[in-house]
Amino acid sequence: MSKPVRLFLLFRNCTHVLGGLSTCTATTDPGSVESNSNSLFSWLHNRTIRRGLFVDPARDNFRAMTNLYSSMSPAADSVNLSTQTHGAVFNLEYSPDGSVLTVACEQTEVLLFDPVSSKHIKTLVEAHEDCVNNIRFLDNRLFATCSDDTTIALWDLRKLNSKVCSLHGHASWVKNIEYDTNTRLLVTSGFDGNVITWDTNRVTEDGCPHKKFFHTRYLMRMRLTPDCSKMLISTSSGYLLILHDLDLTQSLEVGSYRMLRARRTPLSSDGSASGSRSTGAPRHGNDSGKIHPHREGLSPRNSLEVLTPEIPGERDRGNCITSLQLHPKGWAALIRCSSNMDDQEWTCVYEFQDGAPTRPPVSPRCSLRLTHYIEEANVGRGYIKELCFSPDGRLICSPYGYGVRLLSFDENCMELSDCLPVQTSCLREVRSIYSHSDVVLTTKFSPTHCQLASGCLSGRVSLYQPRF
């Protein structure tokens, strides 16, 4: 369509709407002028957020993306990229420009593929001395890996024959890596319960300066929100810790969180927080509401909130939060959890509720509200299954037995902000794809292409692309 035609159609649409508004003005009293101006504002606002008859073309792409993702199928020339000699696939990570797919393997190695041609680029033999658990790109060339050998390694895509350096500081298995683009601090967490920051501004062959930022028992996963204003930590005891107004330059002393063992704040589906329990011992002695920094004599930054997220069907039993991901726009937290009896598994979405508390301090505000959930197949008990958001945040890819499921918030694959339910609702299944011969452990969307990757316990990687 030519530019003059587009301008004409836009002018005609605006004339039609404004004409309707002017007609309304002519038939009402002068006191309604303010309401008419509000109507015009509402129309423009709704058009911007993709509601109403006339939609901003910049946001009217969800139908095309829905069609693309609902037609995802294993790519004919890239199914089952064999990594059988390298053990299970624990993690997948694309470079920010989508040009490289990295694979973290059980048997000490890291694989690199070209996701477009599906060709193997390089194998980092003995990248670590034990299982490689997680990979994180700092930019388009530099990436970090962590391992059960308690170390983190930095790599440069331009020189893969050797590591840039190895980082030592954890006392147990290192499970995940985050990166603060504002301060250029690498952030790692491990089963020693420590969250450690590493100053990548001062990297040498011997490593870089580091310090222990935080410690908690039963730590499973740690994530930073996209704007790095919050840190979320999931635990095997079923609690979710949130550090608000994050400042990674400050080290937090465990002793300063005296309320960590004083109160618990169960999180209900309507976002309300029940009061503190007066009877009964906490499950692991690790409970609290949100700690007011001034009341506790802490810094105004890094205020701590400890939640017990509601899990469908698990109100009377404990659960283990094994996987934790954040919405790419920072709107929600996505968790995969299993019951302590390991007989049920769930994927849950929790909306961030920012703003002033509406309840008195004796009943602390909860920052998360359960909005969506779905029960999982619970195949491959004991293994962590890593799920992920699509780059636009409309879809979730979840390991499901020997395949993957694409899930959406509603039947139209709308953005979460446009379809928030009043009551907790079930995630919608867009498509299920089965292409593995073993349990799928990890999934990842490409940041630049309409492509998806998954890895399984037997060491195979599958790529998925739309089928036209």
Side-chain angles (χ1 to χ4, degrees):
M1 186 183 294
S2 64
K3 185 175 181 180
V5 174
R6 289 198 302 269
L7 291 175
F8 169 73
L9 291 176
L10 178 60
F11 173 77
R12 185 181 67 179
N13 293 341
C14 291
T15 303
H16 173 74
V17 174
L18 294 177
L21 291 175
S22 63
T23 301
C24 180
T25 304
T27 57
T28 55
D29 60 276
S32 65
V33 172
E34 182 178 353
S35 64
N36 288 325
S37 62
N38 289 336
S39 298
L40 176 59
F41 174 79
S42 298
W43 176 80
L44 292 171
H45 175 69
N46 288 336
R47 182 178 185 271
T48 302
I49 65 171
R50 208 204 64 251
R51 290 175 179 163
L53 181 61
F54 306 109
V55 177
D56 185 351
R59 291 176 56 88
D60 192 24
N61 63 351
F62 73 100
R63 293 183 182 87
M65 296 306 296
T66 300
N67 291 333
L68 285 174
Y69 282 122
S70 61
S71 66
M72 292 285 270
S73 300
D77 59 345
S78 62
V79 178
N80 295 333
L81 299 176
S82 178
T83 61
Q84 291 184 8
T85 60
H86 309 283
V89 175
F90 285 162
N91 186 240
L92 298 164
E93 184 73 9
Y94 285 88
S95 60
D97 61 5
S99 63
V100 177
L101 172 63
T102 55
V103 181
C105 299
E106 178 184 15
Q107 301 295 335
T108 76
E109 298 181 345
V110 174
L111 307 178
L112 291 88
F113 291 95
D114 180 344
V116 177
S117 66
S118 307
K119 292 183 178 179
H120 175 253
I121 298 174
K122 189 174 180 63
T123 297
L124 303 181
V125 180
E126 296 183 359
H128 287 273
E129 296 178 0
D130 208 332
C131 304
V132 184
N133 295 317
N134 191 235
I135 303 174
R136 174 70 62 179
F137 274 87
L138 283 61
D139 51 39
N140 283 323
R141 62 175 181 83
L142 194 65
F143 65 95
T145 59
C146 65
S147 169
D148 282 358
D149 67 5
T150 75
T151 70
I152 302 97
L154 292 181
W155 305 85
D156 193 323
L157 285 176
R158 299 170 299 182
K159 187 182 177 183
L160 291 171
N161 293 329
S162 61
K163 305 173 186 177
V164 174
C165 65
S166 291
L167 307 178
H168 301 266
H170 282 279
S172 185
W173 302 345
V174 189
K175 288 300 182 181
N176 81 288
I177 308 170
E178 292 288 288
Y179 182 62
D180 184 349
T181 55
N182 301 319
T183 60
R184 294 190 64 190
L185 290 175
L186 198 69
V187 190
T188 59
S189 67
F191 280 1
D192 56 0
N194 291 327
V195 177
I196 297 179
T197 60
W198 311 80
D199 187 358
T200 61
N201 297 291
R202 295 187 285 170
V203 173
T204 67
E205 293 181 355
D206 299 324
C208 61
H210 69 279
K211 61 181 179 181
K212 185 165 71 173
F213 173 72
F214 187 71
H215 175 88
T216 185
R217 293 186 296 172
Y218 317 113
L219 189 153
M220 287 294 293
R221 290 290 185 269
M222 172 273 304
R223 302 292 178 195
L224 301 180
T225 54
D227 62 359
C228 299
S229 65
K230 297 182 182 71
M231 175 185 289
L232 279 77
I233 298 173
S234 67
T235 67
S236 60
S237 57
Y239 299 103
L240 195 64
L241 288 72
I242 307 177
L243 286 165
H244 296 267
D245 302 317
L246 188 65
D247 182 0
L248 290 171
T249 63
Q250 301 181 18
S251 292
L252 305 181
E253 295 295 332
V254 179
S256 65
Y257 292 97
R258 294 189 297 276
M259 293 181 66
L260 195 60
R261 286 174 287 275
R263 293 188 305 190
R264 86 185 280 179
T265 307
L267 179 60
S268 66
S269 59
D270 62 356
S272 62
S274 62
S276 305
R277 293 192 175 184
S278 58
T279 60
R283 188 161 44 211
H284 286 290
N286 198 17
D287 305 316
S288 93
K290 184 173 180 179
I291 299 173
H292 192 287
H294 302 291
R295 189 166 62 239
E296 287 299 304
L298 304 176
S299 164
R301 308 289 296 273
N302 298 323
S303 59
L304 177 67
E305 182 177 10
V306 182
L307 305 174
T308 308
E310 178 190 356
I311 308 299
E314 294 296 310
R315 289 179 175 83
D316 300 322
R317 295 186 295 172
N319 59 83
C320 174
I321 303 175
T322 57
S323 179
L324 172 66
Q325 299 291 339
L326 298 180
H327 191 280
K329 297 179 182 178
W331 293 345
L334 174 67
I335 71 171
R336 183 77 169 253
C337 56
S338 59
S339 65
N340 282 345
M341 297 177 65
D342 211 18
D343 59 347
Q344 282 184 300
E345 197 170 24
W346 300 85
T347 289
C348 301
V349 179
Y350 298 88
E351 171 206 9
F352 279 108
Q353 297 190 117
D354 292 324
T358 57
R359 286 168 290 279
V362 294
S363 179
R365 171 180 65 90
C366 285
S367 295
L368 297 176
R369 179 178 77 94
L370 177 64
T371 61
H372 298 83
Y373 69 92
I374 195 167
E375 188 170 3
E376 297 290 359
N378 198 25
V379 178
R381 297 180 183 181
Y383 286 96
I384 295 173
K385 290 98 176 180
E386 298 284 2
L387 23 64
C388 63
F389 278 106
S390 62
D392 59 5
R394 297 179 190 268
L395 289 176
I396 296 166
C397 185
S398 176
Y400 190 69
Y402 289 7
V404 298
R405 282 199 299 187
L406 296 180
L407 307 169
S408 65
F409 303 114
D410 72 351
E411 63 276 6
N412 296 318
C413 291
M414 296 178 69
E415 290 188 353
L416 178 61
S417 60
D418 292 341
C419 61
L420 279 173
V422 177
Q423 299 292 331
T424 302
S425 63
C426 192
L427 289 165
R428 305 297 182 94
E429 184 175 325
V430 176
R431 186 171 178 79
S432 294
I433 313 171
Y434 299 94
S435 63
H436 289 274
S437 58
D438 211 333
V439 178
V440 175
L441 300 181
T442 181
T443 60
K444 195 69 177 180
F445 280 97
S446 167
T448 56
H449 300 85
C450 192
Q451 186 184 75
L452 172 68
S454 64
C456 74
L457 186 60
S458 63
R460 293 180 179 272
V461 178
S462 290
L463 300 180
Y464 310 87
Q465 295 173 344
R467 177 175 294 173
F468 298 101

